[in-house]
């Protein structure tokens, strides 16, 4: 019976480690949000790309730094986990194999051991805390946002049950906190230029939501009453997921939108078309034709 | 051992439940409906003589006759307070009720206790009635001093209706028909050309027409697909000419009656070439509004 | 002594032990039964009962009719029992039930499938056909639309678009020129499925605006069954167009609970919109048939007729009703279908679209001040409902309306829409425009009013197109005027001064007098 429990408690951690290894493999791909390069994840008849096409690197430079941190912590934690479980296994089996006769060893404990296994983990955690500080600062401290992103926010994103309302500044103007007469409005589609850091103002119209760009590793809660600046940079052009990550009601699961990262000229073209559509008075030529003629 | 047994039994059962529950027994929103196609052409449908309840009354032959009559109020005539006193209009007082008070038109009793604005009509054209032509002139619906003129209007289905205004202020005429689509538009001040509308279906009873700006303004329209209808005049009298001879059931409707209908089926036999005179009683107890 | 005690103790022990054993066996038995009950109960909740037999809800108006009017009656004709159809029968015959839909081809709804004409018959099992933009299919059903076998279905093995041939699964003789549809109703079936996934929890299975979520929402979700939609680009008497519906579904309605479904694939969006039109037409059809019957055959009317005042007997009424059901209702039902088909078809035509006669007046301070003057004028009376500053608090919102049918005052002051809800006039300072913020959207709102609500139509007679554009320019500027604290000086034209409402704000009145002419 004792041996059964020894194997029982050694079996599960081993199984966990094995499952983790398998799930990352190309057959299961249970890892970071992947960017199927070039294909549109929302198209109805999308063909799932072959394993080699999946790109797990974050689609933003800051995202890559966040991934590096993740790997570091994963490495530390895995080593500790395996070490601890080996120790546990050893202790279990040793205890199980000892005979039941005779008195057990009674000890008052070891002061040195206690100190060691307090200081070492504390040191590791302190190391992690200090190591990640600059990534945190880059991401969350407004003064550290890249200047070009701070100066020219690209849009105001307002979360609402259950959609994302986007307000762009009129072409050629800077986005103001208050809506301006020429502002362009759309819903569920955010266009940003690639290759440079951009900033959005995040608001919420009703309850808490969260601005979540999985492939870019961006997540920020939208709190009603606050205007929160969020910056990110999309390295590659493409269509990315834009989800809500804070339970906000019955429609939270489908509060999806599109983040379309494209070259700046294309973003400008999109905004021009949006302006034509928004100014459409029923008489002038349809926006699409006019845009082409420009 | 007991505990282990119990736990393993429990686990097996839970596992089974999960397995079974996971199967989509019974469907859910993914049920694919069957679709049967129905062709556009109708099968043999006999179109009856027209909408309206009750089988059509066959004409007994011979020429048409005339129905003449008077609606008489029985009992003490209630005195109704004016809707708006002179000069007391909450909106546009320079125009509305500026010179005269606006009376409550839901009961107007004239000479000999005759009741005005009672609709007398056939719910549908009698079978075998001759085809009658649509009047070429449009029906006129005017408004002056924030009152609709006329208060009650009878017209034909498909006949043009001109909505005019003789007031220097804007009005907003809003109709509330049962079968036709409703009309809700502003009427400009002093519009003598008129906005033209047409009622595409006939109705089975008169419906209200209101002004959204001036909530006291109301009128009643009744489009019919035949000419056998009339509205009683100031002294309660009415006349319907050229009614095909035979037994007919007329509907008597008044806006002030409880439930609207004074009589749902007022039976009259029309004799060829003769004038049938009737006196329709309006009991005081029937007045509800 | 002690031995006697021991014996007694032993005996007592054994009795007690036996009792305990017996009791524990019982306990185990009871608890096992209890376990089984719990397990079966849990399993039942997990499995569920499957989707109940879904039904389209009967409208309240239909429920107000007497039984024979709703479900028809049986009559004996020449010894045979004939079932006469009532309102519900006609609705089910022409539109079906949720799991067994009927695609009535007379209606201008895209039911799906591929329509085509037979060119020639190669042999008994092969046809050469003409299908516009066809695509290959495998096993499918084909329905003949014209010819001797009109209305019948036949299975086909496949359609090859490249060659333009259909391989029939059964032999058939078909004349050239016969029209058919392959897999008819595919779009309708898809529409129903997608509608149930995305829309039904607010809008209800039958589009009655009373799904489970609806009780928590204000304004209530649209009840399609009147065939009225508020935000259209069509003229005042016309219905909504299909592109308008698609726009609403894609962009949502800001300021309400209708979210944006931007991420729907195009074919899903198309199927959903066609299904919504199907539900709207179905609701209108049911409504119109009810209207024909309810004056004389509703429960209230029959009660009135059989009362002392009415003096009729129930039997007489039923006989009269059966006569109506036999002779008149079939024709009426058919005509109603045709009327609805025409109305909805016309909605999608060019002639029902609002096209301003002139392009938008460029946005300028002059245009806006003209717009403001019109806003306050007695001609347009916008301030009556929307308030002099556009806050939606005009004097009309405190007025008690009268119900047009009963002529009684409504319980609460304010403006009621056709669904019986109080709707507030739009607060124009918010910058939220439910029907869209494009100039053409605002133009359509003013020109045709908001159908089903109290916003009247001003186009055509009351306001000319130039005046409407001035008002549009003014309205689009109101949110910004509030922010920056500027009040656009109102230059009231001299003629209107006499009739101007008293609620002109002091600043504007002062500047009017100051400006002078």
């Amino acid at each position: 019976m004792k041996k059964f429990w020894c194997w029982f408690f050694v079996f599960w951690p081993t199984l966990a480690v094995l499952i983790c290894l398998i799930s990352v493999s190309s057959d299961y791909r249970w890892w970071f949000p992947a960017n199927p390069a070039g294909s549109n994840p929302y198209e109805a008849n999308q063909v799932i790309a072959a394993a080699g096409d999946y790109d797990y690197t974050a689609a933003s430079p800051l995202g890559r730094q966040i991934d590096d941190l993740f790997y570091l912590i994963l490495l530390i934690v895995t080593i500790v986990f395996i070490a601890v479980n080996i120790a546990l296994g050893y202790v279990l089996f040793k205890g199980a194999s000892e005979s039941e006769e005779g008195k057990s060893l009674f000890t008052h404990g070891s002061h040195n051991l206690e100190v060691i296994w307090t200081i070492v983990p504390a040191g590791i955690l302190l190391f992690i805390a200090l190591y990640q500080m600059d990534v945190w600062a880059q991401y969350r401290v407004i003064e550290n946002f890249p200047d070009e992103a701070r100066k020219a926010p690209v849009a105001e994103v307002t979360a609402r049950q259950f959609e994302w309302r986007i307000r762009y500044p009129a072409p050629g103007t800077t986005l103001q906190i208050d809506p301006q007469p020429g502002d362009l409005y759309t819903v569920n589609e955010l266009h940003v230029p690639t290759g440079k850091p951009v900033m959005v103002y995040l608001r919420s119209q009703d309850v808490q939501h969260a601005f979540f760009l999985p492939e870019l590793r961006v997540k920020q809660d939208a709190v009603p009453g606050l205007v929160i600046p969020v910056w990110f940079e999309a390295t590659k052009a493409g269509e990315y997921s834009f989800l809500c990550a804070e339970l906000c009601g019955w429609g939270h699961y489908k509060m999806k939108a599109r983040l379309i990262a494209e070259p700046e000229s294309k973003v400008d073209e999109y905004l021009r078309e949006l302006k034509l559509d928004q100014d459409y008075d029923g008489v002038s030529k349809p926006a699409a034709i006019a845009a082409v003629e420009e | 051992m007991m505990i282990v047994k119990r736990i393993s039994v429990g686990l097996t059962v839970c596992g089974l439940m999960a397995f079974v529950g996971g199967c989509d027994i019974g469907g859910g929103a993914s049920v694919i409906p069957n679709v049967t196609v129905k062709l556009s052409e109708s099968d043999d449908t006999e179109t009856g003589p027209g909408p309206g309840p009750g089988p059509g009354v066959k004409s007994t032959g011979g020429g048409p006759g005339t129905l003449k009559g008077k609606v008489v109020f029985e009992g003490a005539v209630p005195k109704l307070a004016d809707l708006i006193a002179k000069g007391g209009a909450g909106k546009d007082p320079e125009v509305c009720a500026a010179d005269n008070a606006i009376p409550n038109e839901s009961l107007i009793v004239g000479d000999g206790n005759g009741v005005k604005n009672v609709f007398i009509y056939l719910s549908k054209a009698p079978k075998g009635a001759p085809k009658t032509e649509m009047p070429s002139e449009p029906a006129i619906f005017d408004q002056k001093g924030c009152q609709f003129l006329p208060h009650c209007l009878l017209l034909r289905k498909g006949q043009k209706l001109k909505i005019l205004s003789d007031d220097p202020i804007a009005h907003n005429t809003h109709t509330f028909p049962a079968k036709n689509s409703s009309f809700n538009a502003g009427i400009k001040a002093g519009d003598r050309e008129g906005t033209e509308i047409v009622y595409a279906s006939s109705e089975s009873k008169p419906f209200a027409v209101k002004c959204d700006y001036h909530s006291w303004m109301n009128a009643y329209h009744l489009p019919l697909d035949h000419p056998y209808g009339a509205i009683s005049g100031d002294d309660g009298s009415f006349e319907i000419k050229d009614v095909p001879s035979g037994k007919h059931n007329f509907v008597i409707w008044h806006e002030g009656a409880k439930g609207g209908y004074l009589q749902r089926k007022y039976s009259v036999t029309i004799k060829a070439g003769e004038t049938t005179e009737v006196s329709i009683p309006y009991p005081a107890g029937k007045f509800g509004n | 002594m002690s031995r006697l005690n021991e014996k007694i103790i032993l005996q007592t022990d054994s009795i007690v032990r036996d009792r305990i054993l017996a009791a524990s066996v019982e306990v185990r038995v009871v608890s096992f039964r209890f376990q089984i009950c719990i397990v079966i109960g849990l399993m039942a909740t997990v499995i569920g009962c499957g989707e109940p037999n879904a039904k389209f809800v009967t409208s309240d108006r239909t429920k107000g009719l007497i039984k024979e009017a709703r479900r028809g009656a049986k009559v004996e004709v020449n010894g045979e029992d004939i079932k006469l159809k009532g309102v519900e029968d006609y609705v089910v015959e022409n539109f079906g039930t949720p799991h067994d839909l009927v695609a009535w081809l007379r209606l201008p709804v895209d039911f799906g499938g591929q329509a085509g004409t037979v060119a020639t018959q190669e042999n008994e099992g092969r046809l050469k056909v003409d299908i516009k933009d066809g695509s290959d299919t495998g096993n499918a059903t084909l329905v003949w639309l014209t010819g001797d076998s009109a209305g019948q279905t036949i299975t086909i093995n496949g359609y090859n678009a490249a060659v333009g041939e259909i391989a029939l699964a059964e032999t058939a003789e078909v004349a050239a020129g016969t029209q058919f549809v392959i897999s008819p109703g595919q779009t309708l079936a898809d529409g129903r499925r997608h509608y149930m996934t995305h829309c039904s929890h607010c809008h209800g299975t039958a589009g009655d605006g009373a799904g489970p979520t609806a009780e928590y929402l204000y304004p209530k979700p649209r009840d399609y069954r009147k065939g009225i939609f508020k935000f259209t680009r069509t003229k005042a008497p016309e219905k909504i167009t299909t592109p308008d519906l698609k726009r609403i579904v894609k962009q949502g309605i800001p300021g309400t609970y209708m979210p944006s479904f931007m991420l729907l694939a195009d074919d899903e969006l198309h199927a959903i919109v066609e299904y919504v039109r199907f539900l709207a037409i179905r609701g209108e059809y049911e409504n119109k048939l009810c209207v024909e019957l309810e004056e004389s055959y509703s429960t209230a009317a029959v009660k009135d007729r059989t009362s002392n005042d009415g003096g009729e007997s129930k039997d007489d009424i039923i006989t009269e009703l059966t006569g109506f059901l036999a002779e008149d209702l079939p024709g009426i039902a058919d005509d109603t279908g045709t009327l609805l088909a025409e109305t909805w078809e016309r909605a999608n035509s060019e002639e029902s679209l609002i096209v301003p006669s002139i392009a938008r007046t460029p946005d300028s301070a002059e245009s806006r001040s003209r717009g403001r003057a019109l806003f306050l004028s007695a001609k347009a009376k916008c301030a009556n409902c929307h308030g002099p500053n556009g806050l939606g608090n005009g004097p009309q919102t405190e007025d008690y309306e009268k119900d047009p049918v009963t002529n009684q005052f409504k319980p609460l002051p304010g403006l009621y829409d056709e669904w019986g809800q109080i709707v507030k006039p739009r607060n124009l300072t918010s910058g939220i425009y439910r029907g869209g913020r494009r100039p053409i959207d605002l133009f359509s709102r003013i020109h045709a009013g908001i159908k089903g609500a109290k916003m009247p139509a001003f186009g055509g007679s009351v306001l000319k197109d130039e005046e409407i554009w001035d008002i549009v320019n003014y309205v689009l500027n109101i949110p910004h005027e509030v922010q920056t604290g500027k009040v656009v000086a109102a230059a009231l034209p001299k003629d209107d001064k006499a009739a101007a409402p008293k609620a002109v704000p002091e600043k504007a009145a002062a500047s009017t007098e100051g400006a002078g002419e």
Side-chain angles (χ1 to χ4, degrees):
Chain A
M1 198 55 219
K2 283 196 262 188
K3 277 289 166 51
F4 167 75
W5 288 115
C6 296
W7 283 111
F8 183 83
F9 281 111
V10 167
F11 167 70
W12 293 110
T14 322
L15 180 66
V17 172
L18 285 173
I19 289 180
C20 288
L21 288 172
I22 293 175
S23 61
V24 180
S25 77
S26 55
D27 291 319
Y28 296 97
R29 287 196 297 272
W30 195 12
W31 198 227
F32 287 135
N35 316 314
S39 72
N40 180 346
Y42 293 105
E43 258 180 40
N45 42 353
Q46 176 211 9
V47 172
I48 301 292
D53 292 3
Y54 271 79
D55 177 14
Y56 293 107
T57 46
S60 72
L62 196 61
R64 275 193 280 269
Q65 291 185 292
I66 293 174
D67 283 357
D68 288 341
L69 282 175
F70 180 88
Y71 285 127
L72 171 70
I73 295 174
L74 183 66
L75 185 67
I76 296 173
V77 159
T78 311
I79 293 173
V80 170
F81 181 76
I82 293 178
V84 164
N85 276 292
I86 290 176
L88 176 68
Y90 169 74
V91 163
L92 280 172
F93 277 95
K94 186 90 186 307
S97 62
E98 273 175 13
S99 69
E100 296 199 2
E101 304 299 325
K103 278 175 115 171
S104 48
L105 175 65
F106 181 75
T107 163
H108 284 289
S110 159
H111 185 70
N112 288 341
L113 206 54
E114 304 251 354
V115 167
I116 293 173
W117 69 40
T118 307
I119 301 266
V120 171
I124 295 176
L125 290 173
L126 192 63
F127 164 71
I128 295 175
L130 294 172
Y131 187 76
Q132 58 86 44
M133 263 174 73
D134 66 332
V135 176
W136 177 262
Q138 264 184 67
Y139 191 35
R140 301 288 187 187
V141 177
I142 300 182
E143 284 78 37
N144 292 347
F145 284 14
D147 274 332
E148 61 177 308
R150 276 186 80 184
K151 274 199 272 244
V154 85
E156 177 194 76
V157 175
T158 306
R160 171 175 116 81
Q161 286 174 328
F162 297 99
E163 57 196 15
W164 297 94
R165 295 247 150 213
I166 320 269
R167 172 170 71 92
Y168 297 101
T173 62
T174 331
L175 183 74
Q176 305 294 323
I177 293 281
D178 290 319
Q180 298 301 307
D183 284 346
L184 304 171
Y185 293 81
T186 186
V187 64
N188 277 354
E189 211 171 279
L190 178 61
H191 287 245
V192 296
T194 50
K196 69 176 213 189
V198 296
M199 186 171 83
V200 297
Y201 283 132
L202 183 62
R203 308 176 80 141
S204 165
Q205 228 174 59
D206 34 37
V207 297
Q208 282 186 355
H209 299 271
F211 178 74
F212 183 32
L213 306 173
E215 289 102 345
L216 279 73
R217 317 286 189 259
V218 171
K219 193 187 277 195
Q220 170 61 49
D221 270 13
V223 180
L226 298 183
V227 180
I228 301 171
V230 180
W231 82 272
F232 55 92
E233 178 182 335
T235 40
K236 221 169 20 169
E239 195 173 302
Y240 297 98
S241 324
F242 174 174
L243 312 170
C244 177
E246 179 70 34
L247 180 62
C248 48
W250 61 259
H252 166 68
Y253 75 97
K254 54 171 163 177
M255 193 161 156
K256 278 190 259 209
R258 292 194 183 111
L259 174 78
I260 299 182
E262 45 193 10
E264 185 141 17
S265 57
K266 289 209 121 144
V267 176
D268 289 337
E269 191 185 304
Y270 166 75
L271 290 176
R272 271 201 300 275
E273 276 179 29
L274 190 61
K275 183 165 174 60
L276 283 172
D277 182 61
Q278 197 165 289
D279 286 342
Y280 182 52
D281 63 356
V283 172
S284 337
K285 277 175 279 196
I289 299 179
V292 166
E293 284 176 351
E294 260 189 27
Chain B
M1 215 43 221
M2 254 335 266
I3 303 175
V4 172
K5 213 173 167 181
R6 292 244 177 96
I7 289 179
S8 46
V9 166
L11 280 172
T12 324
V13 167
C14 287
L16 275 173
M17 269 167 52
F19 173 70
V20 165
C23 302
D24 200 24
I25 300 182
S30 53
V31 168
I32 301 178
N34 303 321
V35 181
T36 340
V37 167
K38 184 173 157 139
L39 294 183
S40 169
E41 293 74 37
S42 37
D43 335 303
D44 51 320
T45 42
E46 253 179 54
T47 47
V57 175
K58 287 194 187 42
S59 189
T60 51
T66 308
L67 176 69
K68 231 175 127 159
K70 192 169 149 118
V71 183
V72 181
F73 197 84
E74 290 177 347
V77 177
K79 252 204 151 318
L80 298 171
D82 288 335
L83 285 178
I84 308 277
K86 175 172 161 180
K91 299 240 181 75
D92 300 316
E94 316 86 28
V95 180
C96 303
D99 300 321
N100 312 306
I102 294 182
N104 186 337
E105 291 178 277
S106 60
L107 183 68
I108 304 175
V109 180
D111 290 336
N113 273 6
V115 185
K116 189 177 178 188
N117 286 340
V118 177
F119 285 84
I120 304 103
Y121 59 98
L122 284 177
S123 54
K124 57 183 187 175
K127 266 202 194 126
K131 263 197 175 316
T132 43
E133 274 184 20
M134 182 98 72
S136 50
E137 288 294 309
I140 301 290
F141 186 57
D142 205 347
Q143 41 202 321
K144 190 169 170 70
C146 308
Q147 278 184 277
F148 284 122
L149 305 160
H151 183 65
C152 289
L153 182 65
L154 196 57
L155 69 162
R156 293 285 293 275
K157 145 185 158 182
Q159 181 184 4
K160 290 197 177 68
L161 173 66
K162 270 196 189 229
I163 303 178
L164 308 172
S165 168
D166 210 0
D167 276 336
I169 49 167
H171 282 295
N172 168 205
T173 307
H174 192 166
T175 67
F176 296 90
K179 291 189 211 169
N180 289 284
S181 35
S182 74
F183 170 81
N184 174 15
I187 307 291
K188 70 179 178 205
D191 187 357
R192 301 320 293 161
E193 265 179 45
T195 310
E196 228 175 58
I197 61 169
V198 166
Y199 292 123
S201 314
S202 62
E203 299 272 344
S204 49
K205 76 172 185 191
F207 58 85
V209 177
K210 295 181 157 298
C211 175
D212 282 336
Y213 293 146
H214 310 105
S215 52
W216 62 84
M217 285 174 73
N218 73 341
Y220 290 89
H221 289 187
L222 177 61
L224 295 172
D225 60 354
H226 58 78
Y228 310 114
I231 301 177
S232 63
D234 288 318
D235 59 352
S237 63
F238 63 91
E239 186 176 354
I240 309 178
K241 294 203 171 94
D242 296 328
V243 184
S245 48
K247 184 156 175 271
H248 298 286
N249 289 324
F250 283 87
V251 181
I252 321 279
W253 192 93
H254 183 247
E255 67 191 84
K258 285 194 186 123
Y261 293 101
L262 267 182
Q263 306 248 10
R264 280 178 187 265
K265 273 190 188 169
Y266 185 74
S267 229
V268 180
T269 311
I270 302 287
K271 297 194 186 71
E274 283 180 31
T275 302
T276 315
E277 292 229 15
V278 292
S279 176
I280 299 172
Y282 193 143
K286 263 274 182 180
F287 179 70
N289 291 348
Chain C
M1 194 57 181
S2 61
R3 210 184 269 168
L4 186 61
N5 281 349
E6 276 182 30
K7 212 173 169 188
I8 294 173
I9 290 169
L10 276 169
Q11 276 182 346
T12 325
D13 269 344
S14 72
I15 293 170
V16 169
R17 202 184 334 129
D18 283 339
R19 284 223 189 106
I20 291 175
L21 268 174
S24 67
V25 164
E26 278 176 36
V27 164
R28 222 180 300 137
V29 166
V30 164
S31 72
F32 185 59
R33 265 192 218 149
F34 195 48
Q35 283 174 13
I36 288 284
C37 290
I38 297 178
V39 163
I40 291 180
L42 283 173
M43 275 175 77
T45 55
V46 169
I47 299 172
C49 318
E51 187 177 347
N53 200 10
K55 275 198 237 187
F56 286 130
V57 72
T58 324
S59 76
D60 286 337
R61 242 173 156 158
T62 317
K63 287 194 193 145
L65 298 172
I66 55 174
K67 182 167 62 89
E68 287 80 3
R70 286 172 65 172
R71 299 206 199 98
K74 279 206 180 60
V75 278
E76 215 186 286
V77 173
N78 301 335
E80 262 185 56
D81 265 338
I82 300 188
K83 165 93 171 33
L84 294 172
K85 291 188 272 205
V87 171
E88 292 181 23
D89 298 315
Y90 278 108
V91 175
V92 169
E93 180 187 312
N94 292 317
F95 296 91
T97 59
H99 288 170
D100 282 293
L101 295 166
V102 170
W104 193 6
L105 295 180
R106 190 187 297 184
L107 303 175
V109 175
D110 178 13
F111 292 111
Q114 304 189 65
T117 330
V118 172
T120 50
Q121 179 152 27
E122 302 279 299
N123 54 46
E124 275 188 350
R126 242 185 161 67
L127 297 170
K128 252 216 159 355
V129 295
D130 218 350
I131 296 184
K132 195 171 157 212
D133 301 324
S135 54
D136 287 349
T137 64
N139 262 340
T141 8
L142 182 147
V143 175
W144 301 112
L145 295 179
T146 57
D148 297 325
S149 7
Q152 290 174 17
T153 51
I154 188 174
T155 333
I156 63 170
N157 280 333
Y159 163 63
N160 188 326
V163 191
E165 273 189 13
I166 289 184
L168 300 171
E170 325 156 3
T171 55
E173 287 233 1
V174 186
T178 318
Q179 292 175 357
F180 60 84
V181 181
I182 305 180
S183 300
Q186 188 55 45
T187 307
L188 192 68
D190 286 341
R192 146 105 186 146
R193 272 180 32 242
H194 296 311
Y195 178 87
M196 291 308 286
T197 310
H198 295 292
C199 322
S200 67
H201 61 90
C202 285
H203 286 282
T205 308
D208 60 350
T213 315
E215 69 179 289
Y216 305 106
L217 306 179
Y218 174 83
K220 292 253 170 290
R222 182 66 52 238
D223 175 354
Y224 306 144
R225 295 174 305 171
K226 287 188 186 274
I228 303 177
F229 293 89
K230 285 189 178 175
F231 307 114
T232 72
R233 261 199 67 193
T234 48
K235 300 192 176 121
E238 304 288 350
K239 304 253 177 233
I240 194 171
T241 65
T242 309
D244 278 336
L245 279 168
K246 286 194 175 159
R247 207 185 154 84
I248 290 176
V249 173
K250 264 204 124 146
Q251 306 218 336
I253 301 181
T256 69
Y257 283 97
M258 173 71 185
S260 144
F261 290 90
M262 184 68 93
L263 265 55
L264 278 179
D266 282 336
D267 54 344
E268 281 183 27
L269 179 66
H270 178 74
I272 288 178
V273 164
E274 292 300 316
Y275 189 71
V276 166
R277 294 175 75 234
F278 171 81
L279 288 176
I281 298 178
R282 181 191 167 279
E284 267 200 281
Y285 183 83
E286 187 179 3
N287 210 29
K288 285 194 188 302
L289 290 186
C290 280
V291 164
E292 299 287 341
L293 287 163
E294 70 184 0
E295 269 317 301
S296 304
Y297 304 113
S298 67
T299 329
V302 168
K303 189 158 165 230
D304 191 36
R305 289 169 82 177
T306 50
S307 68
N308 285 335
D309 264 346
E312 293 182 64
S313 77
K314 184 85 186 287
D315 284 333
D316 283 340
I317 297 180
I318 300 290
T319 318
E320 188 186 293
L321 173 59
T322 24
F324 184 73
L325 293 180
E327 290 177 13
D328 297 316
L329 197 55
I332 293 172
D334 197 57
D335 288 341
T336 310
T338 314
L339 175 69
L340 286 174
E342 280 169 13
T343 326
W344 282 89
E345 178 88 53
R346 197 175 58 232
N348 275 337
S349 69
E350 287 290 316
E351 49 186 53
S352 61
L353 211 57
I354 294 175
V355 179
S357 59
I358 48 165
R360 174 189 179 192
T361 320
D363 190 19
S364 63
E366 293 84 35
S367 174
R368 290 186 219 146
S369 69
R370 286 196 299 269
R372 172 147 178 90
L374 283 164
F375 190 88
L376 295 172
S377 71
K379 183 156 110 158
K381 285 199 159 126
C382 311
N384 212 29
C385 294
H386 288 282
N389 288 322
L391 287 165
N393 57 358
Q396 197 75 34
T397 56
E398 287 159 20
D399 210 0
Y400 282 84
E401 278 183 6
K402 274 197 180 165
D403 186 303
V405 176
T406 62
N407 219 25
Q408 302 303 316
F409 282 114
K410 296 237 165 104
L412 292 169
L415 300 155
Y416 284 75
D417 67 8
E418 218 163 298
W419 292 272
Q421 266 192 89
I422 290 190
V423 274
K424 303 183 202 141
R426 188 62 50 239
N427 177 349
L428 300 165
T429 62
S430 68
I432 295 180
Y433 304 102
R434 289 193 186 173
R437 64 183 329 121
R438 301 178 304 174
I440 182 61
D441 294 320
L442 290 171
F443 185 95
S444 308
R445 272 339 122 250
I446 300 175
H447 186 98
I450 295 182
K451 293 157 197 176
K454 282 281 157 47
M455 171 76 183
F458 290 97
S461 77
V462 183
L463 290 174
K464 296 193 278 285
D465 283 357
E466 308 84 71
E467 294 172 316
I468 299 185
W469 280 129
D470 286 332
I471 297 182
V472 167
N473 286 334
Y474 170 63
V475 163
L476 280 172
N477 187 255
I478 295 181
H480 307 292
E481 156 193 308
V482 165
Q483 267 166 242
T484 56
K486 278 191 247 166
V487 174
V488 176
L492 287 171
K494 284 200 186 121
D495 346 329
D496 260 329
K497 253 191 183 164
K502 293 174 190 138
V504 172
E506 283 169 6
K507 273 192 203 161
S511 51
T512 315
E513 280 149 30
E517 254 166 34

